[in-house]
Amino acid sequence: MTTEEEAREFIAAVKKEHYKANHNVSAFAIGDKQEIQRSSDDGEPSGTAGIPMLEILKKRELTDVVAVVTRYFGGIKLGAGGLIRAYAGACNHAIDAAELVRIVEQTQLDLTMAYPLFDNVSRFIATSGLVISDSVFTSEVQMTVFVDTDQVSQLMQDLTEQFSGKLTMALRDKKLVEVDI
């Protein structure tokens, strides 16, 4: 979710799916620095459900995320402390079970080289923690790697120094990718 509207649509979809539930408590944090934060107790006593969930999202520094905890009343009154623990705990458990990712902008870097350099450049790329996404072998070798945009300049400098300027480098398109946390 990257907008408040998307977050609200998601919450509405969960409420529609669980329309017989007593409560669909929600919280969301949107923006790189959690600029948009909202929560709803959805009928639970004020401050006992949505705010504890929002605090979990903030504490775990999650962004562009929506959490909805659905509760069907089972005949046991939890009290304020019990509600806070239940909703915050459910939110925490869901986050622990989720596969969290970080969104990173990467730039395509095309490297062109003579055949004798291929193995050494491949090793250098691998030891830099990068993956070769494509290699084309014609009269020369063209290799494509995707690099975090904020690291492109340093990598290009390192490649130039390591291989004495014998590589041709070209920057191409940028893309957003998910990187496991």
Side-chain angles (χ1 to χ4, degrees), residues 56-115:
I56 295 295
L57 299 180
K58 289 165 47 178
K59 178 181 168 191
R60 307 258 319 237
E61 298 179 354
L62 298 176
T63 61
D64 298 336
V65 65
V66 179
V68 180
V69 174
T70 300
R71 179 172 179 243
Y72 290 85
F73 184 69
I76 298 173
K77 294 196 180 253
L78 301 176
L83 288 170
I84 291 168
R85 285 188 298 279
Y87 282 106
C91 188
N92 247 331
H93 289 303
I95 293 167
D96 289 342
E99 295 178 13
L100 300 179
V101 296
R102 185 171 47 91
I103 306 297
V104 177
E105 181 183 70
Q106 291 189 336
T107 301
Q108 179 180 333
L109 177 63
D110 289 341
L111 307 172
T112 305
M113 68 206 78
Y115 274 84

Coordinates of all heavy atoms in Angstrom, one line a residue, residues 56-115:
I56 N 3.1 -1.0 17.3 CA 3.9 -2.1 16.8 C 4.5 -1.8 15.4 O 5.7 -2.0 15.2 CB 3.1 -3.4 16.8 CG1 2.6 -3.9 18.2 CG2 3.9 -4.6 16.1 CD1 3.8 -4.2 19.1
L57 N 3.7 -1.3 14.5 CA 4.1 -1.0 13.2 C 5.3 0.1 13.3 O 6.3 0.0 12.6 CB 3.0 -0.5 12.3 CG 1.8 -1.4 12.1 CD1 0.8 -0.7 11.2 CD2 2.3 -2.7 11.5
K58 N 5.0 1.1 14.1 CA 6.0 2.1 14.3 C 7.3 1.6 14.9 O 8.4 1.9 14.4 CB 5.5 3.3 15.1 CG 4.4 4.1 14.4 CD 3.5 5.0 15.3 CE 4.3 5.8 16.3 NZ 3.4 6.7 17.0
K59 N 7.2 0.8 16.0 CA 8.4 0.3 16.6 C 9.2 -0.6 15.7 O 10.4 -0.6 15.8 CB 7.9 -0.5 17.9 CG 9.0 -1.2 18.6 CD 8.4 -2.0 19.8 CE 9.5 -2.9 20.4 NZ 8.9 -3.8 21.4
R60 N 8.5 -1.4 14.9 CA 9.2 -2.3 13.9 C 9.6 -1.5 12.7 O 10.2 -2.2 11.8 CB 8.3 -3.5 13.6 CG 7.8 -4.2 14.8 CD 8.4 -5.5 15.3 NE 8.8 -6.5 14.4 CZ 8.3 -7.7 14.4 NH1 7.4 -8.1 15.2 NH2 8.8 -8.6 13.5
E61 N 9.4 -0.2 12.6 CA 9.8 0.6 11.5 C 9.3 0.1 10.2 O 10.0 0.2 9.1 CB 11.3 0.8 11.5 CG 11.9 1.5 12.7 CD 13.4 1.6 12.7 OE1 14.0 1.1 11.8 OE2 13.9 2.2 13.7
L62 N 8.0 -0.3 10.1 CA 7.4 -0.8 8.9 C 6.7 0.4 8.2 O 6.1 1.2 8.8 CB 6.4 -1.9 9.2 CG 7.0 -3.1 9.9 CD1 5.9 -4.1 10.2 CD2 8.1 -3.8 9.0
T63 N 6.8 0.4 6.9 CA 6.2 1.4 6.1 C 5.4 0.8 5.0 O 5.6 -0.4 4.6 CB 7.2 2.4 5.5 OG1 8.1 1.7 4.6 CG2 8.0 3.1 6.6
D64 N 4.4 1.5 4.5 CA 3.5 1.1 3.4 C 2.9 -0.3 3.7 O 3.0 -1.2 3.0 CB 4.3 1.0 2.1 CG 4.8 2.4 1.6 OD1 4.2 3.4 2.1 OD2 5.8 2.4 0.9
V65 N 2.4 -0.3 4.9 CA 1.8 -1.6 5.5 C 0.5 -1.3 6.2 O 0.3 -0.3 6.8 CB 2.8 -2.3 6.4 CG1 3.0 -1.5 7.7 CG2 2.4 -3.7 6.8
V66 N -0.4 -2.3 6.0 CA -1.7 -2.2 6.7 C -1.9 -3.5 7.5 O -1.6 -4.6 7.1 CB -2.9 -2.2 5.7 CG1 -4.2 -2.1 6.4 CG2 -2.8 -1.0 4.8
A67 N -2.3 -3.4 8.8 CA -2.6 -4.5 9.6 C -4.1 -4.5 10.0 O -4.6 -3.4 10.4 CB -1.7 -4.5 10.9
V68 N -4.8 -5.6 9.9 CA -6.1 -5.7 10.3 C -6.2 -7.0 11.1 O -5.8 -8.1 10.7 CB -7.1 -5.8 9.1 CG1 -8.6 -6.0 9.6 CG2 -7.0 -4.7 8.2
V69 N -6.7 -6.9 12.4 CA -7.0 -8.0 13.2 C -8.5 -8.2 13.4 O -9.2 -7.2 13.8 CB -6.3 -7.9 14.6 CG1 -6.7 -9.0 15.5 CG2 -4.8 -7.8 14.4
T70 N -9.0 -9.3 13.0 CA -10.4 -9.6 13.1 C -10.7 -10.4 14.3 O -10.0 -11.4 14.6 CB -10.8 -10.4 11.8 OG1 -10.5 -9.6 10.6 CG2 -12.3 -10.7 11.8
R71 N -11.7 -10.0 15.1 CA -12.1 -10.6 16.3 C -13.6 -11.0 16.3 O -14.4 -10.1 16.2 CB -11.7 -9.7 17.5 CG -12.1 -10.4 18.9 CD -11.6 -9.5 20.0 NE -11.9 -10.1 21.3 CZ -12.7 -9.5 22.2 NH1 -13.2 -8.3 22.0 NH2 -13.0 -10.1 23.3
Y72 N -13.8 -12.2 16.6 CA -15.2 -12.7 16.8 C -15.3 -12.8 18.3 O -14.5 -13.5 18.9 CB -15.4 -14.0 16.1 CG -15.5 -13.9 14.6 CD1 -14.3 -14.0 13.8 CD2 -16.7 -13.8 13.9 CE1 -14.3 -13.9 12.5 CE2 -16.7 -13.8 12.5 CZ -15.5 -13.8 11.8 OH -15.5 -13.7 10.4
F73 N -16.3 -12.2 18.9 CA -16.5 -12.3 20.3 C -16.9 -13.7 20.7 O -17.8 -14.3 20.2 CB -17.6 -11.3 20.8 CG -17.7 -11.3 22.3 CD1 -16.7 -10.8 23.1 CD2 -18.9 -11.8 22.9 CE1 -16.9 -10.8 24.5 CE2 -19.0 -11.8 24.2 CZ -18.0 -11.2 25.0
G74 N -16.1 -14.3 21.7 CA -16.3 -15.6 22.1 C -16.9 -15.8 23.5 O -16.9 -16.9 24.1
G75 N -17.4 -14.7 24.0 CA -18.1 -14.8 25.3 C -17.2 -14.5 26.5 O -17.6 -14.4 27.7
I76 N -15.9 -14.2 26.3 CA -14.9 -13.8 27.3 C -14.6 -12.4 27.2 O -14.0 -12.0 26.2 CB -13.7 -14.7 27.3 CG1 -14.1 -16.2 27.5 CG2 -12.7 -14.3 28.4 CD1 -12.9 -17.2 27.3
K77 N -14.8 -11.6 28.3 CA -14.4 -10.2 28.3 C -12.9 -10.1 28.7 O -12.5 -10.7 29.7 CB -15.3 -9.4 29.2 CG -16.7 -9.3 28.7 CD -17.5 -8.2 29.4 CE -18.9 -8.2 28.9 NZ -19.1 -7.1 28.0
L78 N -12.1 -9.5 27.9 CA -10.7 -9.4 28.1 C -10.2 -8.3 29.0 O -9.1 -8.3 29.6 CB -9.9 -9.4 26.8 CG -10.2 -10.5 25.8 CD1 -9.4 -10.2 24.5 CD2 -9.7 -11.8 26.4
G79 N -11.0 -7.2 29.1 CA -10.6 -6.0 29.8 C -9.6 -5.2 29.0 O -9.1 -5.7 28.0
A80 N -9.3 -4.0 29.4 CA -8.5 -3.1 28.6 C -7.1 -3.7 28.4 O -6.5 -3.7 27.3 CB -8.4 -1.8 29.3
G81 N -6.5 -4.2 29.5 CA -5.1 -4.8 29.4 C -5.1 -6.0 28.5 O -4.2 -6.2 27.7
G82 N -6.1 -6.8 28.6 CA -6.2 -8.0 27.8 C -6.4 -7.7 26.3 O -5.8 -8.3 25.4
L83 N -7.2 -6.7 26.0 CA -7.4 -6.3 24.6 C -6.1 -5.7 24.0 O -5.7 -6.1 22.9 CB -8.5 -5.2 24.5 CG -9.9 -5.7 24.8 CD1 -10.8 -4.5 24.9 CD2 -10.3 -6.6 23.6
I84 N -5.4 -4.9 24.8 CA -4.1 -4.3 24.3 C -3.1 -5.5 24.0 O -2.5 -5.5 22.9 CB -3.5 -3.3 25.3 CG1 -4.4 -2.1 25.4 CG2 -2.1 -3.0 25.0 CD1 -4.1 -1.2 26.6
R85 N -3.0 -6.4 24.9 CA -2.1 -7.5 24.7 C -2.5 -8.4 23.5 O -1.7 -8.8 22.7 CB -1.9 -8.4 26.0 CG -1.1 -7.7 27.1 CD -0.8 -8.7 28.2 NE -2.1 -9.1 28.9 CZ -2.7 -8.4 29.8 NH1 -2.2 -7.2 30.2 NH2 -3.8 -8.8 30.4
A86 N -3.8 -8.6 23.4 CA -4.3 -9.5 22.3 C -4.1 -8.9 21.0 O -3.6 -9.5 20.0 CB -5.8 -9.8 22.5
Y87 N -4.4 -7.6 20.8 CA -4.3 -6.9 19.5 C -2.8 -6.7 19.1 O -2.4 -7.0 18.0 CB -5.1 -5.7 19.4 CG -6.6 -5.9 19.2 CD1 -7.5 -5.8 20.2 CD2 -7.0 -6.4 18.0 CE1 -8.8 -6.1 20.1 CE2 -8.4 -6.7 17.8 CZ -9.3 -6.5 18.8 OH -10.6 -6.8 18.6
A88 N -2.0 -6.2 20.1 CA -0.6 -6.0 19.8 C 0.1 -7.3 19.6 O 0.9 -7.4 18.6 CB 0.0 -5.2 21.0
G89 N -0.3 -8.3 20.3 CA 0.3 -9.7 20.1 C 0.0 -10.3 18.8 O 0.9 -10.8 18.1
A90 N -1.3 -10.1 18.4 CA -1.7 -10.7 17.1 C -0.9 -9.9 15.9 O -0.5 -10.6 15.0 CB -3.2 -10.5 16.9
C91 N -0.8 -8.6 16.1 CA -0.1 -7.9 15.1 C 1.4 -8.3 15.0 O 2.0 -8.5 13.9 CB -0.2 -6.4 15.4 SG 0.4 -5.3 14.1
N92 N 2.0 -8.4 16.2 CA 3.4 -8.9 16.3 C 3.6 -10.3 15.6 O 4.6 -10.5 14.9 CB 3.9 -8.9 17.7 CG 5.0 -7.9 18.0 OD1 5.7 -7.5 17.1 ND2 5.0 -7.4 19.2
H93 N 2.7 -11.2 16.0 CA 2.8 -12.5 15.4 C 2.7 -12.5 13.9 O 3.4 -13.3 13.2 CB 1.8 -13.5 16.1 CG 2.1 -13.8 17.5 ND1 3.2 -14.4 17.9 CD2 1.3 -13.6 18.6 CE1 3.2 -14.6 19.2 NE2 2.0 -14.1 19.7
A94 N 1.8 -11.7 13.4 CA 1.6 -11.7 11.9 C 2.8 -11.1 11.3 O 3.2 -11.6 10.2 CB 0.4 -10.8 11.6
I95 N 3.4 -10.1 11.8 CA 4.7 -9.5 11.3 C 5.8 -10.6 11.3 O 6.5 -10.7 10.3 CB 5.1 -8.3 12.0 CG1 4.0 -7.2 11.8 CG2 6.5 -7.8 11.6 CD1 4.2 -6.0 12.7
D96 N 5.9 -11.3 12.4 CA 6.9 -12.3 12.5 C 6.7 -13.4 11.4 O 7.7 -14.0 10.9 CB 6.9 -13.0 13.9 CG 7.5 -12.1 15.0 OD1 8.1 -11.1 14.6 OD2 7.2 -12.3 16.2
A97 N 5.5 -13.7 11.1 CA 5.2 -14.8 10.1 C 5.3 -14.3 8.7 O 5.5 -15.1 7.8 CB 3.8 -15.3 10.4
A98 N 5.2 -13.0 8.5 CA 5.3 -12.4 7.1 C 6.7 -12.4 6.6 O 7.7 -12.4 7.4 CB 4.8 -11.0 7.2
E99 N 6.8 -12.4 5.3 CA 8.1 -12.3 4.6 C 8.3 -10.8 4.3 O 7.8 -10.3 3.4 CB 8.2 -13.1 3.4 CG 8.1 -14.6 3.6 CD 8.0 -15.5 2.4 OE1 8.4 -14.9 1.3 OE2 7.7 -16.6 2.5
L100 N 9.1 -10.1 5.2 CA 9.3 -8.7 5.0 C 10.3 -8.4 3.9 O 11.3 -9.1 3.8 CB 9.7 -8.1 6.3 CG 8.7 -8.2 7.5 CD1 9.3 -7.6 8.8 CD2 7.4 -7.6 7.2
V101 N 10.0 -7.4 3.2 CA 11.0 -6.9 2.2 C 11.2 -5.4 2.3 O 10.4 -4.7 2.9 CB 10.4 -7.2 0.7 CG1 10.3 -8.7 0.5 CG2 9.1 -6.5 0.5
R102 N 12.3 -5.0 1.7 CA 12.6 -3.6 1.6 C 12.6 -3.3 0.1 O 13.1 -4.1 -0.7 CB 14.1 -3.4 2.2 CG 14.5 -2.0 2.3 CD 15.8 -1.8 3.1 NE 16.9 -2.8 2.7 CZ 17.8 -2.6 1.7 NH1 17.8 -1.5 1.1 NH2 18.7 -3.5 1.5
I103 N 12.0 -2.2 -0.3 CA 12.0 -1.8 -1.7 C 13.2 -0.9 -1.9 O 13.4 0.1 -1.3 CB 10.7 -1.0 -2.0 CG1 9.4 -1.7 -1.5 CG2 10.6 -0.6 -3.4 CD1 9.2 -3.0 -2.3
V104 N 14.0 -1.3 -2.9 CA 15.2 -0.6 -3.3 C 15.2 -0.3 -4.8 O 14.8 -1.1 -5.6 CB 16.4 -1.6 -3.0 CG1 17.7 -0.9 -3.4 CG2 16.5 -2.0 -1.5
E105 N 15.7 0.9 -5.1 CA 15.8 1.3 -6.5 C 17.2 0.8 -7.0 O 18.2 1.0 -6.3 CB 15.8 2.8 -6.6 CG 15.9 3.3 -8.1 CD 15.9 4.8 -8.3 OE1 16.9 5.4 -7.9 OE2 14.9 5.3 -8.8
Q106 N 17.1 0.1 -8.1 CA 18.3 -0.4 -8.7 C 18.5 0.1 -10.1 O 17.5 0.4 -10.8 CB 18.4 -2.0 -8.7 CG 18.5 -2.6 -7.3 CD 18.7 -4.0 -7.3 OE1 18.4 -4.7 -8.3 NE2 19.4 -4.5 -6.3
T107 N 19.7 0.2 -10.5 CA 20.0 0.7 -11.9 C 20.7 -0.5 -12.6 O 21.6 -1.1 -12.1 CB 21.0 1.9 -11.8 OG1 20.4 2.9 -11.1 CG2 21.3 2.4 -13.2
Q108 N 20.3 -0.6 -13.9 CA 20.9 -1.6 -14.7 C 22.3 -1.1 -15.2 O 22.4 0.0 -15.7 CB 20.0 -1.9 -16.0 CG 20.6 -2.9 -16.9 CD 19.7 -3.2 -18.1 OE1 18.5 -3.1 -18.0 NE2 20.3 -3.6 -19.2
L109 N 23.3 -1.9 -15.1 CA 24.6 -1.5 -15.5 C 25.1 -2.6 -16.5 O 25.1 -3.8 -16.2 CB 25.6 -1.5 -14.3 CG 27.1 -1.2 -14.6 CD1 27.2 0.2 -15.3 CD2 27.9 -1.3 -13.3
D110 N 25.3 -2.2 -17.7 CA 25.8 -3.1 -18.8 C 27.4 -2.9 -18.8 O 27.9 -1.8 -19.0 CB 25.2 -2.8 -20.1 CG 23.7 -3.2 -20.2 OD1 23.3 -4.0 -19.3 OD2 23.0 -2.6 -21.1
L111 N 28.0 -4.1 -18.8 CA 29.5 -4.1 -18.9 C 29.9 -4.8 -20.2 O 29.3 -5.9 -20.4 CB 30.1 -4.8 -17.7 CG 29.7 -4.4 -16.3 CD1 30.2 -5.3 -15.2 CD2 30.2 -3.0 -16.0
T112 N 30.8 -4.2 -20.9 CA 31.3 -4.9 -22.1 C 32.8 -5.1 -22.0 O 33.5 -4.2 -21.6 CB 30.9 -4.0 -23.4 OG1 29.5 -3.8 -23.4 CG2 31.3 -4.7 -24.7
M113 N 33.2 -6.3 -22.3 CA 34.6 -6.6 -22.1 C 35.1 -7.7 -23.1 O 34.3 -8.3 -23.8 CB 34.8 -7.2 -20.7 CG 34.2 -8.6 -20.5 SD 33.7 -8.9 -18.8 CE 32.2 -8.0 -18.7
A114 N 36.4 -7.8 -23.2 CA 37.0 -8.9 -24.0 C 36.9 -10.2 -23.2 O 36.8 -10.2 -22.0 CB 38.5 -8.6 -24.3
Y115 N 36.9 -11.3 -24.0 CA 36.7 -12.6 -23.4 C 37.6 -12.9 -22.2 O 37.2 -13.5 -21.2 CB 36.8 -13.7 -24.4 CG 35.5 -14.0 -25.2 CD1 35.1 -13.2 -26.2 CD2 34.7 -15.0 -24.8 CE1 33.9 -13.4 -26.9 CE2 33.5 -15.3 -25.4 CZ 33.1 -14.5 -26.5 OH 32.0 -14.7 -27.1

